[in-house]
Amino acid sequence: RSKEAYVFDLTGPIGTAAYQAPTMLTFTAIFHGRPAHAGFEPEKGIHAIKAAAHAIERIPCGRIDGATINIGTIEGGRAGNIIPEFCRLKGEIRSHDHQRALDALAQIKEQLNSSATVFGADVKVEDALHCMAYQTPLNHPVVRRFQSACQTLSLTPELISTFGGSDNNQLSQYGLHGLVVANAMQNCHSLQEYTTINDLTKAAELALKLMLSAE
């Protein structure tokens, strides 16, 4: 029955909220080659790691035309004297434009298959959609209520775009307009993550003000 949402899951000063978040896709590519003894008969092998490396070299990573692309892990092989018949790599794509993320995934798949062909290897690619992009209109009541609550508590409201995902991505797919609200975590997802009692208190006061708002 809910129509709006405030998800407390954002780093930054209390009073900050994200109105936009990206689509997040992950992909896993498994290359299969052929094992052979690297010393006695290397020409009989099909090098799965080199096929994967060929693809990685040709897949742009970083900020690419409105998306971020990354290959985060690569693993394979059994021993230094065996041509590796197996290699697996994992990566992700993020974009505020859902179609842009899908297009990037299609291009990556094409390159993975092309590189496998160059080396005579096989490749299997699996992908998963973790969340879809959304953008809450800045003139929506859920935004105005947040701004009003902040001002009442002498907080400076700031609306930003984020490249992280949250429950709000899922809620938006069911027609709930929402914001992701800063909740007193700093340097999140790092070994230096911390919070303060003062910020926790401010976040709690803001949550209470939003819950009790008659707007």
Side-chain angles (χ1 to χ4, degrees):
R1 292 174 296 178
S2 299
K3 297 293 184 288
E4 298 167 357
Y6 296 100
V7 177
F8 281 70
D9 188 15
L10 186 70
T11 188
I14 306 302
T16 305
Y19 67 93
Q20 183 181 30
T23 285
M24 296 171 58
L25 295 168
T26 59
F27 58 91
T28 300
I30 300 176
F31 288 82
H32 289 282
R34 182 189 305 129
H37 195 287
F40 293 115
E41 49 184 12
E43 63 281 349
K44 293 184 178 180
I46 295 178
H47 207 298
I49 292 178
K50 287 187 69 67
H54 184 274
I56 291 171
E57 184 181 7
R58 289 160 178 77
I59 295 172
C61 290
R63 298 186 188 277
I64 312 295
D65 299 329
T68 60
I69 300 171
N70 186 57
I71 295 174
T73 67
I74 178 171
E75 56 181 334
R78 289 186 289 163
N81 64 343
I82 301 174
I83 303 299
E85 78 273 28
F86 168 85
C87 185
R88 173 168 48 220
L89 62 85
K90 294 183 179 182
E92 71 150 31
I93 303 163
R94 302 188 187 202
S95 179
H96 287 133
D97 183 335
H98 181 67
Q99 187 58 51
R100 171 69 182 97
L102 294 178
D103 291 344
L105 178 62
Q107 293 166 0
I108 289 170
K109 286 182 175 180
E110 183 178 353
Q111 182 59 63
L112 291 167
N113 281 288
S114 176
S115 293
T117 299
V118 168
F119 285 83
D122 295 320
V123 65
K124 179 181 180 182
V125 184
E126 297 179 347
D127 62 84
L129 172 63
H130 291 271
C131 56
M132 286 185 63
Y134 72 88
Q135 181 173 337
T136 299
L138 292 177
N139 61 353
H140 193 276
V142 75
V143 176
R144 296 199 301 270
R145 185 185 304 108
F146 171 77
Q147 292 171 325
S148 177
C150 286
Q151 290 164 354
T152 299
L153 296 171
S154 298
L155 298 171
T156 302
E158 182 179 7
L159 280 299
I160 66 169
S161 174
T162 180
F163 238 56
S166 75
D167 290 340
N168 207 48
N169 287 78
Q170 307 302 330
L171 296 174
S172 69
Q173 302 309 305
Y174 293 94
L176 277 73
H177 291 285
L179 296 176
V180 184
V181 183
N183 65 338
M185 59 183 179
Q186 303 295 337
N187 296 337
C188 62
H189 304 313
S190 77
L191 296 177
Q192 289 75 43
E193 184 169 351
Y194 72 94
T195 190
T196 67
I197 293 174
N198 184 52
D199 278 351
L200 283 172
T201 301
K202 289 180 181 178
E205 290 173 344
L206 178 56
L208 181 61
K209 184 65 67 175
L210 291 169
M211 288 188 285
L212 296 179
S213 174
E215 295 183 31

